[in-house]
Amino acid sequence: ITGVHIKADEKLKEHVIKIVNKLEHYIPRSARPSAHVDVKLIETKSQGDKKHTAEVIMNLPHRVFTAKESTSNMFTAVSNVEKKLKIQLIKYKYSHTSARFRRHLTAKFRKRSKDS
């Protein structure tokens, strides 16, 4: 976690770590050991307004994901970046899991819905 023109306090660091840990569920198990995440927190001031930018760069095998969001609140920016990365990772996981595994999962869901 790197802060540019901002000193990240413990509460902000804990929030970022919590968000990044949530994203681990969307990474295929085979890619988790080699995953690397860089977080940049940037604060800019222009004409009395503060603008907070959160940028997350996630390196996975065969792909680099980036998401960037600017708002007036750093916590909101981090949460919005999490939503953007979540969508990208779901697509990545779907394309990097075998069709056999996907069929197995869908069969479980179909079975549960019939039992209800």
Side-chain angles (χ1 to χ4, degrees):
I1 301 172
T2 309
V4 179
H5 302 294
I6 187 172
K7 183 172 167 117
D9 59 342
E10 289 301 316
K11 191 174 179 181
L12 182 59
K13 285 182 182 180
E14 288 175 7
H15 182 68
V16 170
I17 291 170
K18 180 180 161 186
I19 294 294
V20 170
N21 285 340
K22 279 185 187 178
L23 293 173
E24 183 180 358
H25 300 291
Y26 301 103
I27 300 173
R29 288 185 183 170
S30 61
R32 288 180 189 171
S34 61
H36 179 74
V37 179
D38 291 323
V39 180
K40 292 182 184 176
L41 307 173
I42 304 165
E43 180 181 82
T44 56
K45 297 178 185 176
S46 62
Q47 299 177 357
D49 291 336
K50 286 185 181 179
K51 191 174 186 182
H52 297 90
T53 304
E55 181 179 11
V56 177
I57 302 167
M58 184 177 288
N59 295 309
L60 294 177
H62 312 293
R63 189 85 190 266
V64 176
F65 297 100
T66 59
K68 191 174 188 179
E69 182 68 30
S70 297
T71 61
S72 60
N73 185 353
M74 186 60 77
F75 290 94
T76 308
V78 172
S79 297
N80 291 344
V81 165
E82 183 249 343
K83 292 175 188 174
K84 289 180 177 182
L85 276 175
K86 182 179 172 183
I87 293 167
Q88 293 177 24
L89 288 173
I90 288 171
K91 290 178 184 178
Y92 176 81
K93 187 172 183 176
Y94 185 78
S95 67
H96 284 80
T97 55
S98 68
R100 183 177 178 188
F101 178 71
R102 288 194 302 267
R103 282 193 307 269
H104 179 71
L105 280 179
T106 56
K108 279 186 174 182
F109 287 119
R110 286 185 194 138
K111 186 178 179 182
R112 284 185 188 170
S113 64
K114 289 179 183 178
D115 293 341
S116 300

